[in-house]
Amino acid sequence: MSSQLPFRYIKSGHYEDDARTYKREYAEALDEKDPLRHFRDYFIIPSKKDLTRKQLAVTEEEDPSDPRCIYFCGNSLGLQPRNVRRYIDQYLRAWAIKGVTGHFVPHEDALLPPFVDVDSAGSKLLAPLVGASPSEVAVMGTLTGNLHLLLASFYRPTTEKYKIILEGKAFPSDHYAIESQIRHHNIDPSDAMVLIEPEDPEKPILRTEQILKVIDDNASSAALVLLPGIQYYTGQYFDIKKITAHAHSKGLLIGWDCAHAVGNVDLQLHDWDVDFAAWCHYKYVNSGPGAMAGLFVHERHGKVDLRNTGEGGAFRPRLAGWWGHDKETRFIMDNKFVPQPGAAGYQVSNPSVLDLSAVAASLEIFNQTSMAELRKKSLELTGYLEHLLLNYPPDAAPEDKPFTIITPSNPEERGAQLSLLLQPGLLDKVLEILQSNGVVVDERKPNVIRVAPAPLYNTFTEVWEFCQIFLQACREALKARK
């Protein structure tokens, strides 16, 4: 059947309303045509039995026939790449046989350079994911810690320009970071925080035109704009290029929290002229819980000119630490801070080689393809998911589907995630049924389920299976509520 089945994905991000698209064989045919399907084997997919295990110890041999779970939660925590163990084993081996000299002594068969240079290796692997040069990115710290470091450098309030524009439904950690930075300057957050709220609470989307208008209305008093590349709750993908250009036209610096965008969409931070950005690596980049994060500083902000003794200084002010110091003179220890050019100059402490090894292991996989190719498959996966949720079964009555998709329907305005808003009182029962069927998603109470098929390891057949289980769960939850 697959050789005759047309590939009916439409470039706009939607599928034709054709009965054949509702069949499992159609999804299987899409998987057969998928040029990225081999990447699934690079990851450890938990089995349904794994999800219910009570012990970590291996008490029995793994049964390959045990069905894998449907893991649509890469927006929260990505799966473990198989090669992580190899990277970490090498780190442990180098530490064991070299001790402190492992900082400087290379090994012929090493996956990474000596400890002192692993951050540079990480930057080279990371740069293609965000559309930057290696000198513009650094693998370092944590997301919120990096936001604080960047805000300390880029938020320079004056009496006239002191406000920060952000979304009203920002991820709490971002909100806390901005509020605390404002208080640090002895400014009242109630006056200095400009919150962009959804125009319609039932459809919590921020239109680009609305964001541009808020920038216009506050340009004379704002010092900075900080927005998410992709909104964590709705999955909305903001027009980073257009909003950045508009902020600059008003004389404002702009930064982006790309936690849900890196490894998800095809970012071009340098070409889009973004001033700065920060993100984590444990979601779509699959580097493990709390993994070392990353940041971007555009090359114009990372310049170091020691000949400049004027008011601007030799480099952009920042909270400094010794690992950001010039590599050639770092160990002279003369206490005269001269930063490395670029994002590396924002580093504070030497990186955990153990942590960075896990990040590098996943980045190695990303470097075997491109974000453009991953984005293409992601659009197809998410489009197929949307198609089935809205149209299958074709004879379903409206009351059979007690949910709405609050993620934008335009594929260009979303990433890999669809957020499903359930009717009140259904969430717990739906989640219970999904979990009992080995489906892993996450929720945002009181009524939202976030579903995120990741193109590196998820399949069209899994999308089809999820929709069967989810729609049945909705029917059972409706009956239980009566």
Side-chain angles (χ1 to χ4, degrees):
M1 182 176 183
S2 62
S3 61
Q4 300 175 358
L5 191 65
F7 189 81
R8 308 189 76 82
Y9 170 74
I10 300 174
K11 191 173 182 180
S12 64
H14 301 285
Y15 285 72
E16 290 182 16
D17 188 13
D18 187 316
R20 288 174 292 183
T21 63
Y22 305 143
K23 297 181 180 296
R24 182 188 184 95
E25 292 83 358
Y26 181 83
E28 292 172 343
L30 296 183
D31 286 327
E32 288 180 16
K33 295 173 181 289
D34 174 20
L36 304 179
R37 63 186 180 277
H38 62 286
F39 284 112
R40 179 176 171 87
D41 295 333
Y42 292 19
F43 292 86
I44 300 174
I45 315 290
S47 69
K48 292 182 180 180
K49 188 181 295 184
D50 286 336
L51 297 179
T52 61
R53 291 185 190 277
K54 301 299 183 183
Q55 295 181 338
L56 293 173
V58 179
T59 56
E60 59 188 53
E61 290 297 320
E62 181 177 331
D63 182 0
S65 66
D66 184 21
R68 299 298 97 181
C69 75
I70 298 175
Y71 194 87
F72 283 177
C73 208
N75 58 317
S76 188
L77 180 68
L79 290 176
Q80 183 184 132
R82 294 184 182 277
N83 66 348
V84 165
R85 187 178 297 274
R86 188 161 57 103
Y87 272 79
I88 291 178
D89 283 348
Q90 279 207 357
Y91 154 71
L92 293 173
R93 177 66 174 163
W95 179 22
I97 67 174
K98 289 296 193 294
V100 69
T101 62
H103 280 85
F104 308 104
V105 178
H107 297 90
E108 294 177 354
D109 57 347
L111 294 165
L112 290 173
F115 304 156
V116 76
D117 292 320
V118 291
D119 54 334
S120 298
S123 296
K124 291 178 182 177
L125 289 167
L126 175 60
L129 268 71
V130 298
S133 67
S135 66
E136 291 177 305
V137 296
V139 183
M140 57 179 280
T142 61
L143 170 54
T144 306
N146 289 344
L147 278 176
H148 275 296
L149 291 170
L150 291 166
L151 287 169
S153 180
F154 286 88
Y155 179 51
R156 317 286 290 176
T158 65
T159 303
E160 294 78 22
K161 296 177 72 66
Y162 59 92
K163 294 180 180 179
I164 297 180
I165 299 172
L166 66 155
E167 54 156 343
K169 300 298 185 291
F171 191 79
S173 199
D174 290 26
H175 187 107
Y176 303 154
I178 292 171
E179 182 174 351
S180 62
Q181 286 282 335
I182 290 171
R183 291 187 186 277
H184 188 72
H185 289 278
N186 295 316
I187 301 173
D188 183 358
S190 65
D191 179 37
M193 296 177 73
V194 179
L195 305 179
I196 311 175
E197 300 286 358
E199 296 168 313
D200 181 356
E202 298 298 317
K203 298 178 180 178
I205 302 300
L206 299 181
R207 296 182 302 109
T208 299
E209 292 72 22
Q210 179 190 0
I211 296 172
L212 302 186
K213 184 177 186 307
V214 173
I215 291 174
D216 289 342
D217 292 345
N218 294 275
S220 62
S221 56
L224 186 70
V225 182
L226 181 64
L227 295 170
I230 290 181
Q231 214 280 341
Y232 80 98
Y233 180 76
T234 64
Q236 180 185 3
Y237 180 18
F238 289 173
D239 191 336
I240 298 176
K241 180 179 180 180
K242 186 172 184 177
I243 296 170
T244 296
H246 191 78
H248 287 168
S249 74
K250 301 298 178 179
L252 299 180
L253 293 170
I254 183 167
W256 295 87
D257 176 347
C258 292
H260 286 264
V262 172
N264 181 2
V265 293
D266 188 12
L267 298 171
Q268 299 296 326
L269 298 182
H270 175 85
D271 289 348
W272 294 342
D273 208 27
V274 167
D275 292 301
F276 67 91
W279 56 86
C280 54
H281 288 130
Y282 51 80
K283 299 181 187 294
Y284 295 100
V285 188
N286 316 303
S287 299
M292 186 176 292
L295 61 76
F296 165 89
V297 176
H298 197 280
E299 63 180 7
R300 67 178 175 279
H301 297 301
K303 293 179 180 177
V304 178
D305 183 1
L306 299 180
R307 300 167 300 174
N308 184 2
T309 58
E311 184 177 342
F315 53 87
R316 186 176 190 86
R318 79 282 308 271
L319 296 179
W322 86 301
W323 212 254
H325 187 90
D326 173 56
K327 248 183 177 180
E328 300 301 318
T329 59
R330 180 185 290 158
F331 290 95
I332 292 178
M333 310 289 189
D334 63 1
N335 289 340
K336 296 178 181 177
F337 181 68
V338 177
Q340 298 182 62
Y346 280 76
Q347 296 178 108
V348 178
S349 302
N350 52 319
S352 162
V353 182
L354 172 62
D355 199 351
L356 206 149
S357 295
V359 177
S362 183
L363 292 177
E364 176 199 282
I365 298 173
F366 278 91
N367 275 253
Q368 294 179 41
T369 180
S370 69
M371 284 309 306
E373 286 298 307
L374 288 170
R375 174 64 168 160
K376 179 176 181 292
K377 178 181 175 181
S378 181
L379 288 171
E380 294 166 3
L381 276 171
T382 313
Y384 188 47
L385 173 62
E386 179 189 48
H387 172 69
L388 292 179
L389 288 172
L390 295 179
N391 300 298
Y392 179 83
D395 59 349
E399 56 269 22
D400 294 333
K401 297 191 176 183
F403 63 89
T404 56
I405 301 174
I406 60 174
T407 306
S409 60
N410 180 356
E412 299 303 318
E413 296 178 7
R414 67 190 185 203
Q417 170 186 320
L418 291 186
S419 294
L420 312 181
L421 176 64
L422 293 167
Q423 292 177 6
L426 301 181
L427 179 65
D428 290 344
K429 185 63 176 178
V430 168
L431 286 176
E432 176 189 327
I433 296 170
L434 291 178
Q435 291 165 4
S436 68
N437 283 275
V439 175
V440 182
V441 292
D442 75 354
E443 84 280 0
R444 284 294 178 265
K445 292 187 181 298
N447 299 312
V448 166
I449 288 178
R450 302 189 304 171
V451 186
L456 271 175
Y457 50 76
N458 285 132
T459 68
F460 292 92
T461 303
E462 286 180 310
V463 169
W464 185 88
E465 291 174 344
F466 166 81
C467 289
Q468 308 298 309
I469 298 168
F470 173 72
L471 293 172
Q472 179 61 32
C474 288
R475 289 190 288 270
E476 293 185 28
L478 283 169
K479 291 178 182 178
R481 190 180 64 174
K482 292 180 179 178

